Amino acid sequence: MSEPSTAASPGRPNRPFSVTLVTFLIGLAGVLQIVVGVLALFAASDTRAVLEEGLTPDALRVVALVGILYGLVLLLVASLLSRGSNAMRIIVTLLLILRIVLAPFVVTSTGRLSGEIVGVIFIVIALALLWNSKASAFFKPRS
């Protein structure tokens, strides 16, 4: 079964499904992060919501704006990955490995073991998708 055709630059193989899937998931995470950030901005004016978060309205606005910015960065990362940026693949890989390294600290601070286990499993799958042979051929620098 052949991979779906994508707009590849001359000399570069078509983007494999594994890279497309990771790109889609990163893009989806970016969109969701932006939506959550926008909702948090609206919640900053709702006293009850602010009290539930345990933040001041200004602090919630800052958190919301940082979340929106993070979502925009995720969209940029997805775009660069989809175009075959090997540097971005390496950066994403390092960030995912850092997230695995930080997982035990997250568990001790939040007590959410099952959520962290699921998160680490998804990270390992994403790494496998980014570094399989077809993905490596796609990201291989061309002269």
Side-chain angles (χ1 to χ4, degrees):
M1 191 161 129
S2 66
E3 294 292 330
S5 179
T6 58
S9 60
R12 182 178 299 281
N14 287 339
R15 183 176 58 235
F17 176 74
S18 62
V19 174
T20 301
L21 180 61
V22 172
T23 299
F24 170 77
L25 293 175
I26 291 172
L28 179 63
V31 169
L32 292 175
Q33 186 65 50
I34 291 168
V35 168
V36 168
V38 169
L39 291 175
L41 275 178
F42 287 119
S45 61
D46 180 5
T47 307
R48 187 175 46 94
V50 172
L51 291 175
E52 287 176 5
E53 292 298 322
L55 299 171
T56 66
D58 288 338
L60 186 55
R61 283 186 195 94
V62 169
V63 169
L65 291 173
V66 168
I68 291 169
L69 179 63
Y70 179 65
L72 292 171
V73 168
L74 287 175
L75 291 175
L76 176 65
V77 166
S79 174
L80 293 173
L81 268 179
S82 72
R83 295 179 187 168
S85 170
N86 194 49
M88 191 53 57
R89 176 172 76 149
I90 292 168
I91 290 169
V92 167
T93 298
L94 292 174
L95 291 173
L96 291 175
I97 290 170
L98 177 64
R99 182 63 183 86
I100 291 172
V101 170
L102 293 175
F105 300 105
V106 173
V107 169
T108 57
S109 65
T110 65
R112 297 180 182 168
L113 177 62
S114 60
E116 283 305 302
I117 290 172
V118 171
V120 168
I121 289 170
F122 278 114
I123 289 171
V124 170
I125 292 169
L127 289 171
L129 292 172
L130 279 177
W131 289 94
N132 66 38
S133 60
K134 288 182 181 180
S136 292
F138 175 69
F139 287 108
K140 185 176 181 180
R142 305 286 180 227
S143 47

